[in-house]
Amino acid sequence: GSIHLSDYRPPAWRIPRVEIEFDLDADATEVTTRLRLEPDPAQPPAPLELDGEDLELLAIRVDGVELPPESYVLGERGLRIPDLDGACTLETRVRIRPSANTRLEGLYASRGALFTQCEAEGFRRIAFMLDRPDVMPVWDIVLRADRARYPVLLANGNPVGGGELPDGRHLARWHNPHATPPYLFAVVAGDFGCVQSEIVAADGRNVRLAVWAAHADVPRCRYALGAVERALRWDERRFGRVYDLDVFNVVAAQDFTMGAMENKGLNIFNARYVLADEETATDADYLGIESVIGHEYFHNWSGNRVTLRDWFQLSLKEGLTVFRDQEFTADLHSRAVKRIEDVRLLRARQFAEDAGSLAHPVRPPSYREINNFYTLTIYEKGAEIVRMLYTLLGEATFRAGMDLYFARNDGRAATVEDFLAAHAEASGRDLSQFARWYAQAGTPEIRIRDDYDAATGTYTLEIAQRTPPTPGQPDKHPLHMPLRFALYDEAGRRLRTAPRGAGGADQVELVATRHRLRFHGLSARPLPAFNQGFAAPVKLDFPYSPAQLGRLARCERDPFNRWDALQRLATGVLLERFEAHVEAQDGLSAALGALLDDPAQDPAFVAECLVLPDFDTLAESVQAIDVDSLLAARETLLDQLAFEHAERLRARYHALADAAAGGLDGAAMGARRLRNLCLALLTRLDREAALAQAQFEGARSMTDRLGALRCLVEADAQGRHAAMEAFAARHAGDDLVTDKWIALVAMRPDAGAQAEVRALLGSSHWTPTNPNRVRAVLGSFARANPTAFHAADGSGYALLAEQLPGLDAINPQVAARLLGAFESWRRLAGPRRERVRETLDGLQGRFASSDCRDLLARLLG
Ligand code: BAL
Ligand code: ZN
């Protein structure tokens, strides 16, 4: 059944304190839990109903006295004790089986070590508990385990002792003094090494930072440790947030469903967001690690100190923390490039989600399976809402609102209302209409038309907003949002038309369905620019001519909008939306040529401009998705751009060689990025792919080696097989690098990729219990290979679908994520839509998990 936000009731029982003891063993772990239980006098009395799944109950005592079997009811989902008489201590002892746990929720075994994952509802697979985020005990944790096998024993909070036990066992005690819900509980046991450092936090507290991994991987933890230090300092500086324990531990796990997890004081990470060195990590990997390390670290305040009242509020921590990690990266690197990349993701994936069968509000009103709501909407659109608030209020007021939010809700389980109330109070603004952003699904469209009256020198903008219907929400209301804009004259000078707003752009606030803006005293029709920095997450409809977009790409002050003008131009060319098609294509080509020639431009920015809108973004820009024509248009345009600019691409490629040989500074990374893009375009002209072959052989970084290899694979160059074999041999035994190699196979833009994916599924590389490997094979295929996945006969859909029931039985979250690749199926044109429908129909009744059953019902619903 569904769970509804409107049904929320505070728990009738409070649990201020938990003592939990583990006798750890991969095959059979015993967990003894003592819950201090107190009826909440503010709530009507109710029987105690503890969550618990797949737990073998060994003993149960109340205040030390064994509870007779007739006093409790043990069910599939938990334990019910009807007649508890007031405050007491409930002790349960259970047995769990980590090595049989392929779901990777609760306590599980991975490569000889033990890890936990409790968000959202994994704790109930460890012990009987009120497993909900508004239950926030203080924790005492005892870990006992074989010393040889598990020399390192980590848990939440601070280490408070340990010692030897008989039979080669040892113990460690941890105390977490902060009120912490069970979803943030964590335990790690294994044979790890670490890199560590000592720092003094802003309040004078000494903090030991450590990053742990299997011994062989420890040298690859240095970069992550540096990222922890940068994150800690940045949060002190930018948000005034100080770390609050004596230790901060990060552990790398090879088998991990999510990217990482922000458990209090003990973050557990997917190894791909920890391990990096020159031999194995690309520049994108380094930036990804820093950003995810930042994200999890920032949760310590936005999520842990201030947690969630219920799971409907998930975006309260995720959207806010994504906004914080985006700002972290923007402050440390190029703000413009960061914004461009975030908006690329938003348009390609979140806009698609918001327009598809799985669309839902940032705060859903109900859910059947909370695991299915770790979505781009909750995370990325949630972050955009916080960014709009930041834009509306300005830096100083927003910071005051954040300070108030943290101060008022510290140690509490908060709601979106609490967040908005803090900002409303700090700013004196009414945010009640703004709150609609959390309730209303779908991407708003802003339609703007202009008019210039030469006789009076008056320029008028007519602005209208609408949000399209989404499942369950046919009618939409206008939203409150900032609209930034600028007007430029013929010479490209910015016209001063209104008081300057935040960031130097003029800004109005949209609240109604229609607005009109009037400007007087203009001697000619200006060129308008809108939504600088993509301050509002909307689709903008303005009838720009190709010439106007070319001008905007040169004169707009805001770098994001310069990039966006070129994207808009490219989209119009690809979708043949301009009457003057040839002129538009010439304009695009000339603009990109000028960027390539301009040594003053940041190479990273030029690279962003050269990347055309991808298939997903194009698919999101049309009503009906004609797969073949979208793919063909893209290929044709890329071939033409390569042909026209061959000389400058080659020149730029060689000129950037020295800069690209540098280390991990922004200049070297930008040079490598542009250089690899030049290489990709040049390889289109030369099926021998000599340049790519040479780069592959001489590469000194993973970025360059993988970049060249991708060119060889995509061009189906003669040397591709030999290069793939050489790469595989060089990195044999390294799972993370092998995932990159596999992804290249699965993403090869050719119908033949299907056969190669099938071959992988039958090879020793296929380890369906490892989420990274499943994503490398099937995620890359379904999400990043439209050519092969959308094969017209439906064979690509069938390939994915065949795997899903088996994967669902292993790890429902991973399977459900893959099933989501069908989210836009209703907009597919031609026979493909019918092929997907048959495929989805064929999956009915074949899923065991609530995750996949819920998703399938919503896809077909
Ligand atoms: N809380 C789950 C992983 C993350 O978003 O940080
Ligand atoms: Zn998060």
Side-chain angles (χ1 to χ4, degrees):
S2 294
I3 301 175
H4 296 268
L5 170 58
S6 53
D7 288 344
Y8 173 82
R9 299 286 175 279
W13 292 83
R14 300 182 53 232
I15 306 184
R17 198 167 188 98
V18 174
E19 294 171 12
I20 185 164
E21 301 184 12
F22 287 76
D23 289 291
L24 290 161
D25 175 79
D27 291 329
T29 285
E30 292 189 9
V31 186
T32 305
T33 312
R34 281 179 290 278
L35 307 179
R36 177 68 196 161
L37 290 163
E38 296 169 358
D40 183 342
Q43 303 304 323
L48 181 69
E49 292 184 352
L50 298 177
D51 303 293
E53 289 175 18
D54 289 344
L55 305 175
E56 186 188 341
L57 183 63
L58 303 175
I60 176 163
R61 294 188 186 87
V62 173
D63 290 332
V65 179
E66 197 134 336
L67 206 58
E70 62 274 17
S71 306
Y72 60 90
V73 184
L74 196 55
E76 287 258 293
R77 312 296 301 268
L79 176 67
R80 180 182 157 94
I81 310 180
D83 302 317
L84 268 189
D85 215 20
C88 63
T89 297
L90 174 73
E91 179 180 307
T92 58
R93 186 167 176 80
V94 302
R95 186 180 292 129
I96 53 179
R97 308 202 170 272
S99 55
N101 180 357
T102 60
R103 300 172 65 104
L104 314 185
E105 287 176 83
L107 180 71
Y108 65 92
S110 165
R111 316 213 179 181
L114 297 169
F115 298 92
T116 54
Q117 171 58 38
C118 292
E119 188 175 2
E121 297 179 334
F123 188 86
R124 62 189 63 185
R125 298 178 166 276
I126 294 173
F128 289 104
M129 179 67 181
L130 286 179
D131 189 9
R132 43 189 285 174
D134 57 354
V135 170
M136 296 174 292
V138 163
W139 298 75
D140 284 288
I141 305 163
V142 178
L143 307 177
R144 290 184 286 265
D146 181 78
R147 181 185 268 290
R149 203 169 296 184
Y150 306 108
V152 175
L153 299 174
L154 306 173
N156 308 106
N158 294 319
V160 288
E164 297 305 315
L165 295 169
D167 302 327
R169 293 176 72 80
H170 69 144
L171 111 168
R173 289 180 196 282
W174 291 78
H175 176 67
N176 175 9
H178 297 283
T180 301
Y183 83 85
L184 292 168
F185 178 84
V187 160
V188 173
D191 189 3
F192 301 108
C194 76
V195 294
Q196 50 181 312
S197 65
E198 295 273 344
I199 61 134
V200 182
D203 64 354
R205 178 197 281 274
N206 289 311
V207 183
R208 196 181 71 236
L209 312 176
V211 180
W212 301 82
H215 289 286
D217 291 329
V218 170
R220 293 203 277 163
C221 294
R222 285 255 155 240
Y223 180 81
L225 181 65
V228 174
E229 290 177 20
R230 291 193 287 282
L232 186 145
R233 292 304 182 208
W234 181 87
D235 213 13
E236 290 181 343
R237 222 170 36 239
R238 178 87 190 260
F239 279 91
R241 298 294 112 203
V242 180
Y243 190 61
D244 55 6
L245 290 166
D246 303 337
V247 299
F248 182 75
N249 286 310
V250 169
V251 189
Q254 294 285 350
D255 298 293
F256 200 77
T257 299
M258 298 185 177
M261 180 63 212
E262 70 265 24
N263 318 297
K264 184 76 189 185
L266 175 54
N267 289 2
I268 302 179
F269 270 61
N270 189 320
R272 67 177 296 219
Y273 290 115
V274 176
L275 306 181
D277 63 14
E278 268 191 16
E279 171 68 8
T280 57
T282 63
D283 296 340
D285 290 331
Y286 280 108
L287 291 171
I289 288 168
E290 185 179 68
S291 140
V292 178
I293 290 263
H295 180 96
E296 306 311 329
Y297 176 80
F298 304 142
H299 267 314
N300 191 54
W301 274 94
S302 48
N304 302 4
R305 285 287 284 258
V306 180
T307 194
L308 310 177
R309 190 192 72 173
D310 53 68
W311 291 117
F312 297 100
Q313 323 294 328
L314 183 55
S315 192
L316 176 63
K317 75 180 176 78
E318 295 306 346
L320 176 55
T321 305
V322 171
F323 171 75
R324 275 151 57 69
D325 84 52
Q326 290 176 346
E327 286 296 295
F328 172 57
T329 301
D331 281 350
L332 265 58
H333 304 279
S334 161
R335 177 164 288 272
V337 169
K338 175 63 177 160
R339 191 65 188 137
I340 288 167
E341 289 183 345
D342 289 340
V343 173
R344 242 190 236 294
L345 175 71
L346 192 77
R347 280 183 176 153
R349 300 285 312 280
Q350 196 281 323
F351 280 17
E353 185 170 272
D354 233 352
S357 309
L358 304 177
H360 56 274
V362 170
R363 183 164 65 179
S366 69
Y367 61 78
R368 275 178 292 203
E369 174 51 66
I370 187 59
N371 286 338
N372 286 339
F373 284 87
Y374 287 75
T375 60
L376 286 125
T377 297
I378 303 286
Y379 277 66
E380 307 301 324
K381 187 175 182 178
E384 295 302 321
I385 297 177
V386 177
R387 182 172 297 281
M388 276 188 287
L389 205 51
Y390 172 70
T391 304
L392 287 169
L393 304 187
E395 173 81 38
T397 308
F398 176 79
R399 170 66 194 272
M402 289 304 304
D403 288 350
L404 190 58
Y405 170 67
F406 287 128
R408 214 182 246 171
N409 295 288
D410 190 7
R412 286 191 63 234
T415 60
V416 166
E417 283 74 14
D418 293 322
F419 180 71
L420 292 178
H423 284 288
E425 190 169 321
S427 63
R429 309 259 337 234
D430 177 357
L431 297 175
S432 49
Q433 186 186 358
F434 185 80
R436 261 184 208 153
W437 278 101
Y438 288 94
Q440 200 163 276
T443 305
E445 296 163 9
I446 306 296
R447 184 177 193 272
I448 306 181
R449 294 294 179 267
D450 69 344
D451 181 64
Y452 177 65
D453 182 349
T456 58
T458 307
Y459 182 64
T460 308
L461 293 172
E462 301 280 357
I463 304 167
Q465 65 162 294
R466 81 177 269 275
T467 303
T470 48
Q473 287 191 333
D475 301 313
K476 302 295 167 96
H477 304 283
L479 295 159
H480 178 190
M481 70 182 88
L483 180 68
R484 301 172 73 184
F485 64 90
L487 302 181
Y488 292 97
D489 71 10
E490 304 261 275
R493 279 183 307 249
R494 172 90 180 275
L495 295 168
R496 292 274 157 242
T497 50
R500 291 185 59 154
D506 296 323
Q507 184 173 317
V508 289
E509 296 187 18
L510 304 185
V511 291
T513 304
R514 262 180 285 284
H515 288 261
R516 172 178 294 168
L517 295 186
R518 265 230 159 107
F519 306 87
H520 300 284
L522 276 77
S523 57
R525 176 188 282 269
L527 172 63
F530 304 103
N531 207 17
Q532 280 77 6
F534 208 65
V538 298
K539 294 182 189 175
L540 175 76
D541 169 3
F542 182 82
Y544 283 116
S545 69
Q548 284 179 314
L549 290 171
R551 275 175 64 202
L552 259 193
R554 288 191 302 276
C555 73
E556 166 68 308
R557 304 286 190 278
D558 177 63
F560 172 86
N561 257 8
R562 286 204 299 277
W563 169 82
D564 203 33
L566 292 174
Q567 291 288 299
R568 204 172 274 275
L569 187 52
T571 304
V573 169
L574 288 163
L575 301 177
E576 299 193 21
R577 281 187 173 158
F578 296 117
E579 264 171 47
H581 180 73
V582 175
E583 179 199 328
Q585 194 165 334
D586 287 348
L588 176 66
S589 184
L592 294 177
L595 278 171
L596 275 168
D597 283 345
D598 185 352
Q601 295 282 350
D602 173 8
F605 179 77
V606 178
E608 293 296 347
C609 294
L610 281 179
V611 176
L612 300 183
D614 67 4
F615 174 80
D616 290 333
T617 305
L618 292 175
E620 223 295 295
S621 316
V622 294
Q623 288 298 322
I625 304 169
D626 179 344
V627 173
D628 303 309
S629 76
L630 292 185
L631 288 172
R634 233 181 146 265
E635 289 305 302
T636 306
L637 182 56
L638 284 166
D639 282 347
Q640 280 172 1
L641 290 172
F643 177 74
E644 285 167 29
H645 296 298
E647 297 317 319
R648 14 175 96 81
L649 289 166
R650 201 167 288 122
R652 203 71 208 264
Y653 178 83
H654 291 297
L656 285 166
D658 285 347
L664 286 177
D665 54 296
M669 285 196 194
R672 283 192 288 271
R673 176 126 165 81
L674 180 52
R675 204 160 173 265
N676 277 298
L677 267 162
C678 292
L679 183 66
L681 285 168
L682 287 166
T683 305
R684 290 178 169 266
L685 303 174
D686 170 20
R687 295 288 154 181
E688 301 285 297
L691 207 52
Q693 190 70 42
Q695 177 173 315
F696 179 74
E697 283 159 18
R700 296 215 306 264
S701 67
M702 178 53 96
T703 302
D704 282 351
R705 188 173 312 118
L706 197 66
L709 187 58
R710 174 187 292 263
C711 291
L712 295 173
V713 169
E714 291 192 351
D716 199 4
Q718 229 175 12
R720 122 161 126 103
H721 294 289
M724 285 295 272
E725 270 172 38
F727 186 93
R730 177 172 183 148
H731 300 288
D734 185 321
D735 288 348
L736 294 176
V737 182
T738 302
D739 287 341
K740 299 182 196 300
W741 179 89
I742 286 172
L744 282 188
V745 174
M747 292 189 305
R748 191 166 69 85
D750 185 287
Q754 265 188 36
E756 291 177 68
V757 168
R758 286 196 183 277
L760 281 171
L761 291 169
S763 76
S764 61
H765 286 306
W766 179 237
T767 44
T769 51
N770 177 252
N772 287 351
R773 184 55 51 87
V774 175
R775 285 185 284 254
V777 179
L778 292 174
S780 309
F781 175 74
R783 290 279 194 190
N785 191 347
T787 310
F789 180 59
H790 290 293
D793 61 358
S795 51
Y797 309 141
L799 191 165
L800 178 67
E802 281 164 28
Q803 298 299 321
L804 293 178
L807 287 170
D808 184 53
I810 294 170
N811 185 326
Q813 289 182 50
V814 169
R817 214 31 99 89
L818 290 171
L819 182 55
F822 291 113
E823 67 188 345
S824 300
W825 75 277
R826 285 184 189 281
R827 288 194 298 117
L828 286 171
R832 289 184 171 90
R833 182 183 150 120
E834 215 27 58
R835 296 290 90 79
V836 179
R837 186 195 298 280
E838 290 159 11
T839 307
L840 294 177
D841 278 341
L843 284 169
Q844 300 238 51
R846 299 197 52 208
F847 292 125
S849 76
S850 55
D851 306 58
C852 282
R853 275 184 297 180
D854 168 51
L855 220 60
L856 184 62
R858 285 163 59 202
L859 283 168
L860 285 167

